[in-house]
Amino acid sequence: MKKHIGKILIIVIPIIAAIALLYPTYRAYELNKIKTQVEKLAKQDSTSEDSLARIERFEKQYGEALLSANNNRVKLGLDLRGGMYVTLEVDVVRLIDESALRETKDEIFDQVIKETRYESQSNNDPVIDIFLKKFSKIARPKGKSLLSYFDVGDIREASEEKIIERLKKNEESAIDQALEVIRQRIDKYGVSEPTIQKQGSRRIMLELPGVNKEEEMRKLLQTTARLEFNLVKNDQ
């Protein structure tokens, strides 16, 4: 019997370890199923007070256990857990268009923007580079320069290099802001272990494990966040 103890331990110990590791995953699955049922019943309650009370009871009874189970469960990827894979693109062409002074825009500039947008749909080069290439091809032969359309700020520093530098800085800032907005929305929705990262020069890649309400998530991501500043005329 003693000579078989080693073999038995080799089999039993991994099984016990596997059970210990998998239990939080099983527990998380069961608690999330209960949570889904509670949310479904809450929607059927006659008053918002009843719905809130039902959800509060669940949080009081299972909240900490669910959080602990979710933190300790086996982390599954999209291939095993299911979910959504989304690629978003920052509209850099629109950023360039809105960076130009409204009163200076003409048919030439509009044509440059149109050609930039068309080529950027099939070209992964940075949009600013595509814009500058199209500007040189369309606008410069007609006597236009970047100074014709963009605010130069301090006249002592007026140069196309400064304008290009500012456009690239605005592009990078816009992508970083888009990343932050998306991350806040995903966190608010409650997706655990999302992957959010830049892809190329203007795209953002999302992996959202466990998301089963795809239409709701799509609406959340597609909602445009915009902050605009406009000059106001002073009557005096």
Side-chain angles (χ1 to χ4, degrees), residues 148-196:
S148 305
Y149 299 105
F150 295 93
D151 181 24
V152 296
D154 190 341
I155 193 65
R156 294 170 296 181
E157 298 182 356
S159 68
E160 292 203 340
E161 288 74 17
K162 288 290 184 180
I163 294 174
I164 295 171
E165 179 183 339
R166 188 170 60 194
L167 287 175
K168 291 184 176 180
K169 183 177 180 180
N170 290 345
E171 177 186 28
E172 183 177 351
S173 176
I175 295 174
D176 289 340
Q177 289 178 17
L179 275 168
E180 184 60 27
V181 169
I182 291 170
R183 185 172 289 108
Q184 290 177 2
R185 291 181 179 182
I186 297 299
D187 290 345
K188 187 176 181 180
Y189 189 84
V191 178
S192 59
E193 296 120 28
T195 298
I196 308 172

Side-chain angles (χ1 to χ4, degrees), residues 8-50:
I8 294 173
L9 291 176
I10 291 175
I11 296 173
V12 172
I13 291 176
I15 292 176
I16 295 174
I19 293 174
L21 289 172
L22 290 175
Y23 178 74
T25 302
Y26 170 77
R27 182 66 171 159
Y29 171 78
E30 290 296 323
L31 291 177
N32 277 306
K33 188 163 65 172
I34 295 173
K35 182 180 179 182
T36 300
Q37 294 172 349
V38 169
E39 291 175 345
K40 184 177 180 180
L41 291 173
K43 291 180 180 180
Q44 298 174 358
D45 286 330
S46 56
T47 66
S48 59
E49 288 81 5
D50 292 339

Side-chain angles (χ1 to χ4, degrees), residues 51-159:
S51 298
L52 183 60
R54 185 186 296 275
I55 293 174
E56 286 180 346
R57 286 197 299 271
F58 171 83
E59 290 295 334
K60 184 177 180 180
Q61 185 174 359
Y62 298 111
E64 291 185 5
L66 177 58
L67 180 62
S68 176
N70 281 332
N71 289 335
N72 294 294
R73 64 180 172 77
V74 176
K75 312 304 182 186
L76 301 178
L78 292 181
D79 53 342
L80 296 176
R81 189 178 172 192
M84 290 183 65
Y85 179 91
V86 183
T87 302
L88 303 174
E89 182 172 329
V90 178
D91 194 349
V92 181
V93 178
R94 185 169 185 174
L95 174 65
I96 298 172
D97 186 21
E98 295 185 353
S99 296
L101 295 172
R102 187 177 304 176
E103 62 272 15
T104 65
K105 294 181 185 179
D106 52 19
E107 293 181 357
I108 298 173
F109 186 82
D110 290 342
Q111 182 64 25
V112 173
I113 291 295
K114 181 179 178 181
E115 293 290 333
T116 301
R117 182 173 295 281
Y118 179 77
E119 182 167 330
S120 65
Q121 292 174 353
S122 57
N123 189 332
N124 290 324
D125 291 343
V127 176
I128 300 294
D129 293 345
I130 297 174
F131 168 75
L132 294 175
K133 181 178 68 175
K134 294 298 180 182
F135 192 91
S136 296
K137 180 179 178 181
I138 298 172
R140 292 194 189 281
K142 298 178 181 179
K144 299 290 185 176
S145 71
L146 295 177
L147 295 169
S148 305
Y149 299 105
F150 295 93
D151 181 24
V152 296
D154 190 341
I155 193 65
R156 294 170 296 181
E157 298 182 356
S159 68

Side-chain angles (χ1 to χ4, degrees), residues 36 83-84 189 208-215:
T36 300
M84 290 183 65
Y189 189 84
L208 309 173
V211 173
N212 49 24
K213 299 177 182 178
E214 294 188 9
E215 189 59 33

